[in-house]
Amino acid sequence: MSVTLAELAARFDCELRGDGDTLVDTVGTLDNAAGRAISFLANPQYRASLQRTRAAAVILKPGLETGCPVPALLASNPYATYARIARFLHPVPGHEPGIHPTAIIDDDANVAATARIDAHAIIGADTRIGDGVSIGPGVVIGKNVSVGAGSRVHARVVIMDDTEIGERCVLHPGVVLGADGFGFAPEESGWVAVPQLGKVVLGDDVSIGANSAVDRGAIDDTVIESAVIIDNLVQVGHNVHIGSQTALAGFAGVAGSARIGQRCLIGAAVLINGHISICDDVFITMHSTVLRSIDEPGKYSSSFDTDKADRWARNAVRFRRIDEQLRRRN
């Protein structure tokens, strides 16, 4: 689909600079875009790439258009505007409703006529699949599950009993929702498994990346509020509560009963201790360890950057001696 730059400017509320008849039909990076591709510049560090771009047009912040060699769309948030334009030019393919003959659906399940169920999917009793839902090949859905309208469940996702999924959610391949949390009571002879009696509840517009796991609650539910985005390979423990519009990057781990507020940004490989709370609007940088509650919005970090091994070892020894040195001074 080709569209003029003037049409994009009107549709996405941008200011047009240059030839409005310029046609675009795809997207690309500043360095590699060519032909009818539109690109964007959100970081001024890439202005050198802007000056040599062969894109048909570029999305920019006002004030960055100086020296742009091609027509431009000016937007206060170029990256978000690019995302909307990319989705407009490359819409998610629709699906034909229907049930593959190899799917196994319990007689007591309720599947909307507009849903699609792909090959070898399994759907348990009393489960409800809403309008326009797409269930990919090899998906396993347990009993008494609800999947809201417009949600997409990709290949080999496992959704355990009693899970609730809102509307327009996206579960990428390999996601597991509602497996037992890590609940064991110690005694002298070993470990006693604690029954995990809660469930997982997802709000609307939640996206969960490939091979991530969200455990069911031990007693109360594990809750992921609306518009939360979770990257690949993330672990969310039992009874965790994550507020709306929060994002968790890859390899993050959240231990049981932690509570994360709204609009938080949890960086890659961040580890969050159990039974603590993080208030709204907190940004935790990558590879940090959060052992105590955070009750003030802001940016938080821990750990150190990579260093030469011998210098790192010397500094580690010094760090371990800080407490002893302070006691001597006092």
Side-chain angles (χ1 to χ4, degrees):
M1 175 185 65
S2 295
V3 61
T4 68
L5 208 57
E7 291 176 273
L8 290 179
R11 178 181 289 270
F12 297 101
D13 194 24
C14 300
E15 182 181 345
L16 173 64
R17 292 292 175 90
D19 184 3
D21 291 330
T22 300
L23 289 173
V24 297
D25 58 17
T26 189
V27 297
T29 64
L30 287 171
D31 286 329
N32 296 323
R36 293 181 175 181
I38 188 169
S39 188
F40 73 100
L41 174 67
N43 188 334
Q45 292 181 343
Y46 293 97
R47 292 190 73 163
S49 295
L50 172 66
Q51 293 169 4
R52 59 175 179 264
T53 189
R54 297 172 60 197
V58 178
I59 308 162
L60 302 163
K61 267 189 176 182
L64 293 181
E65 69 271 20
T66 303
C68 180
V70 297
L73 297 179
L74 305 186
S76 59
N77 188 334
Y79 191 31
T81 301
Y82 161 80
R84 293 189 176 95
I85 289 175
R87 190 165 54 188
F88 174 70
L89 294 175
H90 301 277
V92 175
H95 64 259
E96 290 293 328
I99 299 174
H100 194 277
T102 62
I104 301 173
I105 301 175
D106 191 275
D107 291 341
D108 292 328
N110 186 341
V111 178
T114 55
R116 177 182 179 87
I117 313 297
D118 278 333
H120 303 291
I122 300 174
I123 299 176
D126 300 315
T127 284
R128 300 165 299 285
I129 307 298
D131 288 329
V133 168
S134 174
I135 304 296
V139 169
V140 177
I141 301 178
K143 300 176 182 178
N144 195 35
V145 172
S146 62
V147 182
S151 291
R152 290 180 287 141
V153 181
H154 291 284
R156 297 189 180 277
V157 168
V158 176
I159 304 172
M160 305 293 283
D161 296 352
D162 303 313
T163 299
E164 298 179 11
I165 298 170
E167 298 184 356
R168 299 175 303 280
C169 293
V170 179
L171 306 180
H172 289 280
V175 165
V176 177
L177 300 183
D180 279 0
F182 194 59
F184 296 88
E187 63 177 6
E188 290 183 2
S189 61
W191 300 95
V192 179
V194 178
Q196 304 291 288
L197 305 176
K199 58 189 177 184
V200 172
V201 179
L202 269 56
D204 298 333
D205 301 298
V206 172
S207 177
I208 302 182
N211 294 318
S212 289
V214 180
D215 294 341
R216 71 190 310 108
I219 300 175
D220 296 328
D221 299 334
T222 302
V223 178
I224 312 295
E225 292 186 3
S226 294
V228 167
I229 53 176
I230 296 176
D231 197 1
N232 302 336
L233 297 166
V234 171
Q235 163 68 29
V236 178
H238 57 188
N239 298 104
V240 167
H241 190 120
I242 300 178
S244 62
Q245 299 182 54
T246 284
L248 286 79
F251 298 104
V254 186
S257 298
R259 189 175 185 93
I260 301 174
Q262 299 179 2
R263 299 176 302 280
C264 292
L265 301 176
I266 309 300
V270 167
L271 301 178
I272 297 175
N273 199 15
H275 304 277
I276 66 171
S277 61
I278 297 172
C279 68
D280 298 343
D281 301 304
V282 166
F283 174 23
I284 302 173
T285 60
M286 62 177 295
H287 213 276
S288 296
T289 300
V290 185
L291 298 177
R292 294 182 294 274
S293 293
I294 298 174
D295 56 12
E296 292 185 12
K299 185 176 182 179
Y300 293 81
S301 300
S302 68
S303 75
F304 301 97
D305 195 5
T306 303
D307 200 353
K308 289 187 176 180
D310 54 351
R311 183 163 53 195
W312 181 91
R314 290 195 301 271
N315 287 331
V317 170
R318 292 176 182 131
F319 182 79
R320 287 197 297 269
R321 291 175 177 171
I322 287 175
D323 187 57
E324 178 185 348
Q325 291 169 351
L326 289 174
R327 283 201 305 269
R328 286 178 179 175
R329 290 181 182 179
N330 294 331

